[in-house]
Amino acid sequence: MIKFVAAFLVLSLNAYVYWYMGSEEVIPARSESAEFPNQLGEWQCRNRETMDDEILGNLMVTDYISCTYSNPTKENFTHLYVGYHERQTRDRESGKATAIHPPEHCLPGSGWDVIYSKIVPIDIGPGGEAKRFVIAKGNERALVYFWYHSRGRIIARNYQKIMWMFLDRARLGRTDGSLVRFTIPINHGDMEAAEASFQEFASAVTPLLHEYVPN
């Protein structure tokens, strides 16, 4: 029995390597992030944020949206980040991995601590799962939602992102994907207001994402 399992694993690995190496890499067509609207209903982005070369070199992101959207009817604002990676492999020139970085790995380096984290279902847009967490820096608190928007899937678990990336590379020749993240300050401890801002703003954003994040 053990020999049978070992032989099956070897054959499966050989088949996967054949598919992986033999399939042609596909880079799907998409709209540039610069075309993403600055006005979404009453939510407005006044100044797009530009990341410096050092940050871009670390993230290895192909294209991105980074802006704070404000709403005159809301006390707080919402920061939107959508980072698109046309491939998640290893860059041939620099040798750096171009895979999406999980946000919780980057937050401690910027002074934020994750004090609550949970994977939750979301019913906005195409639906799926998101990671919802609360972060803290001194007396500041913020609500964060993020998910991996990859080839039509909305997922929150890192192992699923990796599993589907390898399978889709073998089957479809694609490793492209995006990180979609919303960050909302929690003013005066009002979690309900922050949650309401996320729900309203994300409902305006998600119907547009397929143009910038290919399914």
Side-chain angles (χ1 to χ4, degrees):
M1 182 64 180
I2 295 177
K3 291 182 178 180
F4 174 80
V5 172
F8 177 78
L9 291 175
V10 170
L11 289 174
S12 297
L13 180 60
N14 286 339
Y16 174 75
V17 171
Y18 173 79
W19 291 335
Y20 184 90
M21 299 301 291
S23 60
E24 184 178 352
E25 186 175 23
V26 175
I27 305 297
R30 55 179 290 275
S31 298
E32 296 294 321
S33 295
E35 300 174 16
F36 192 83
N38 290 329
Q39 186 79 39
L40 296 170
E42 296 189 30
W43 295 90
Q44 184 176 16
C45 165
R46 298 186 182 278
N47 294 295
R48 291 288 184 102
E49 297 170 11
T50 302
M51 294 187 288
D52 61 35
D53 291 341
E54 182 179 355
I55 295 176
L56 290 174
N58 288 329
L59 292 179
M60 298 296 289
V61 66
T62 305
D63 194 12
Y64 66 93
I65 303 166
S66 182
C67 193
T68 297
Y69 283 77
S70 58
N71 185 330
T73 68
K74 304 288 183 181
E75 182 182 353
N76 53 7
F77 54 83
T78 299
H79 183 269
L80 171 66
Y81 172 78
V82 181
Y84 173 71
H85 298 243
E86 67 179 13
R87 58 171 58 88
Q88 296 185 72
T89 53
R90 188 166 294 278
D91 184 73
R92 294 174 184 175
E93 295 182 3
S94 67
K96 291 184 177 180
T98 60
I100 299 171
H101 294 229
E104 60 262 52
H105 293 178
C106 304
L107 287 168
S110 58
W112 290 92
D113 294 315
V114 178
I115 60 175
Y116 173 85
S117 176
K118 185 177 182 181
I119 292 177
V120 297
I122 52 173
D123 55 8
I124 53 178
E129 287 187 334
K131 182 165 281 190
R132 178 185 186 275
F133 49 80
V134 178
I135 57 177
K137 180 192 290 186
N139 293 326
E140 297 179 68
R141 299 289 185 275
L143 174 67
V144 177
Y145 275 86
F146 86 84
W147 60 80
Y148 302 110
H149 198 127
S150 300
R151 303 168 301 283
R153 301 182 188 88
I154 309 299
I155 55 180
R157 304 171 194 269
N158 293 330
Y159 78 87
Q160 288 182 338
K161 173 180 73 74
I162 296 171
M163 178 189 72
W164 283 114
M165 182 184 69
F166 279 107
L167 289 175
D168 288 345
R169 177 64 179 90
R171 299 182 304 119
L172 308 173
R174 291 177 58 185
T175 61
D176 56 289
S178 290
L179 173 72
V180 180
R181 186 185 68 216
F182 300 83
T183 306
I184 308 98
I186 303 173
N187 296 325
H188 315 297
D190 193 344
M191 180 68 76
E192 291 185 3
E195 186 70 42
S197 291
F198 163 73
Q199 295 291 337
E200 180 182 321
F201 182 62
S203 295
V205 170
T206 50
L208 306 177
L209 288 178
H210 69 279
E211 298 181 27
Y212 308 90
V213 183
N215 287 333

